[in-house]
Amino acid sequence: MKRLQVYTILISASLLIFPSFGSTDVSQWTHFTIDINLPGEAWGTGGPALGDYDGDGDLDLVISRRTVQTAYWYERRSDSNWVRHEMGKAESLIEALGATVIDVDRDGHLDVALNKVWFKNPGDLDKNPDSPWTPMLYEGGGHDIVAADINGDGAEDLVADLGRSWFDAAEDLKPVEIYTGLEFHGAIAPKGVGDLNGDGAMDVLAPGFWFENPGKGSGVWARHEWPHKGVPNASYGPSFRSWIVDLNADGRNDIVYSDCDTGGSHVYWVENLAKGDKWERHQLDDPPTAPGDVPGTGSFHSLGVADFDLDGDLDIFAGEQEDPDDYMVSGGKVAMKPKGLKERGVVWENIGEAAKPAFNPVVIHIDNPGWHDIQVGDVDGDGDVDIVSKIWNKDGETYHADFWRNDIIIK
């Protein structure tokens, strides 16, 4: 297979920080382009999926593109040098959005699951990076796909179809139903599967409800309420990105979520007060608007929770997606963003005490490139948490994928 072009374009090596409207000096970032012109035409990019696919110790990236029905992995050679390789093709990629990293066949090499197809890592990418990945069909997919150990066997399974089903990796991704009857647009990505009642089993989120794992994923998943608040007349109906995590270090997992796929989005954390049956919702302050910019918020389609500033507590990232869609306004819905809004990447820095988180929004970037689904991880192996992102529907000149290096300065 012919090796594709090496991308070494550096969009900006300057520190992206805006002290004039809310930032501090503890979180600084440098932006690099992974790919300035994604393959194929028009909107639609599946992923991203971040993992060390070639076993060289740093993190690489997988995305797919709808119009060419092809998946690609980007080999990271340096911050500014990512090499694109074709993984393989599948017809189901024409509807791909969600993706996750998972060792499906448990051979020690990271595979990638997308819409109705997972690609088997050939296992020799360190020597032959252009080796094709074998496409393997399964029955799940959709807007959100998450890897989690649902049956407690020590290996990850898949949760897909908006959390309506899980797929047993020990049984060739056999589907198992979790629930039916709810209609919404997005919910469980990137980490909306986790233990909410403290019994050690992985539960599943949906707007306003969470579903209790009966044990090993088999049996009736009991439905419980939690106080989700959405956006009235949202562009695509109820939709959020979510992260289950113990945010206040009290031994109970909480819920962090951001509205998405609609303008007027906000970011929340929902405090778990008693094993998933008592909650308190906290809305984070919206990011500040720079002088001369359009007020309001767009779609916070990117969400990540990590200790970005290395101070020992958890911070929250959310990014507004780059998307000009406003056709839904004629039907009484909210546009994807206020007209003229410049997308922002925002770190809500945790400035509170361990048991009482408090968050200050720090804008790390304004305007293109915007954000549509991120993955967080220590991409360059320097001990802090970085971000990779990709585009869905551009309002700039090109479809792109991006790397945001965390250049933390510790006071």
Side-chain angles (χ1 to χ4, degrees), residues 144-206:
D144 302 349
I145 304 173
V146 172
D149 182 6
I150 298 299
N151 57 9
D153 67 353
E156 290 185 318
D157 309 292
L158 287 179
V159 184
D161 302 330
L162 299 177
R164 295 188 181 101
S165 301
W166 71 276
F167 300 82
D168 191 344
E171 297 287 340
D172 197 26
L173 295 184
K174 175 184 176 182
V176 182
E177 184 178 275
I178 295 175
Y179 69 88
T180 60
L182 296 179
E183 295 297 329
F184 53 93
H185 191 75
I188 61 170
K191 198 177 177 184
V193 178
D195 181 10
L196 290 173
N197 60 354
D199 67 353
M202 298 291 100
D203 309 307
V204 173
L205 276 182

Side-chain angles (χ1 to χ4, degrees), residues 103-138:
D103 183 5
V104 176
D105 53 5
R106 307 182 185 188
D107 66 353
H109 301 290
L110 295 179
D111 311 307
V112 177
L114 295 113
N115 185 58
K116 299 186 182 301
V117 62
W118 66 274
F119 286 90
K120 176 178 169 56
N121 190 322
D124 64 347
L125 296 175
D126 56 334
K127 300 180 179 63
N128 301 296
D130 289 308
S131 290
W133 300 49
T134 304
M136 310 286 287
L137 301 182
Y138 76 109

Side-chain angles (χ1 to χ4, degrees), residues 276-343:
D277 57 13
K278 186 178 180 181
W279 303 86
E280 182 177 358
R281 186 182 63 241
H282 308 271
Q283 181 174 334
L284 277 59
D285 290 340
D286 290 339
T289 300
D293 283 351
V294 173
T297 58
S299 163
F300 284 120
H301 207 285
S302 289
L303 178 70
V305 180
D307 183 7
F308 291 109
D309 56 8
L310 300 180
D311 67 350
D313 55 28
L314 293 173
D315 312 298
I316 298 170
F317 173 88
E320 293 167 312
Q321 74 183 77
E322 181 181 328
D323 195 324
D325 280 349
D326 61 3
Y327 65 85
M328 63 284 295
V329 174
S330 61
K333 299 285 189 177
V334 178
M336 290 294 281
K337 64 178 182 179
K339 187 175 182 180
L341 179 82
K342 295 179 180 178
E343 300 85 2

Side-chain angles (χ1 to χ4, degrees), residues 53 56 58 65 100 102 104 122 164 200 260 273 305 324 366 391 398 405:
Y53 302 112
D56 66 353
D58 61 13
R65 290 285 287 159
T100 195
I102 177 175
V104 176
R164 295 188 181 101
C260 70
L273 300 176
V305 180
I366 301 176
I391 194 62
T398 65
R405 188 182 67 200

Side-chain angles (χ1 to χ4, degrees), residues 196-197 210 224-228 248 250 252-255 269-282:
L196 290 173
N197 60 354
W210 65 273
H224 305 272
E225 294 185 356
W226 66 277
H228 168 246
N248 58 353
D250 66 355
R252 295 185 294 266
N253 278 332
D254 310 299
I255 297 169
W269 78 278
V270 188
E271 186 176 0
N272 187 349
L273 300 176
K275 295 186 177 181
D277 57 13
K278 186 178 180 181
W279 303 86
E280 182 177 358
R281 186 182 63 241
H282 308 271

Side-chain angles (χ1 to χ4, degrees), residues 61 97 108 123 155 250-251 259 268 312 316 380-381:
L61 177 69
L97 190 153
D250 66 355
D259 301 314
Y268 302 84
I316 298 170
D380 52 3

Side-chain angles (χ1 to χ4, degrees), residues 316-375:
I316 298 170
F317 173 88
E320 293 167 312
Q321 74 183 77
E322 181 181 328
D323 195 324
D325 280 349
D326 61 3
Y327 65 85
M328 63 284 295
V329 174
S330 61
K333 299 285 189 177
V334 178
M336 290 294 281
K337 64 178 182 179
K339 187 175 182 180
L341 179 82
K342 295 179 180 178
E343 300 85 2
R344 290 157 294 184
V346 185
V347 174
W348 277 265
E349 181 189 359
N350 190 340
I351 57 174
E353 300 175 358
K356 295 183 178 179
F359 297 95
N360 177 48
V362 178
V363 178
I364 69 169
H365 185 75
I366 301 176
D367 209 1
N368 292 341
W371 314 76
H372 184 273
D373 281 341
I374 63 161
Q375 291 278 288

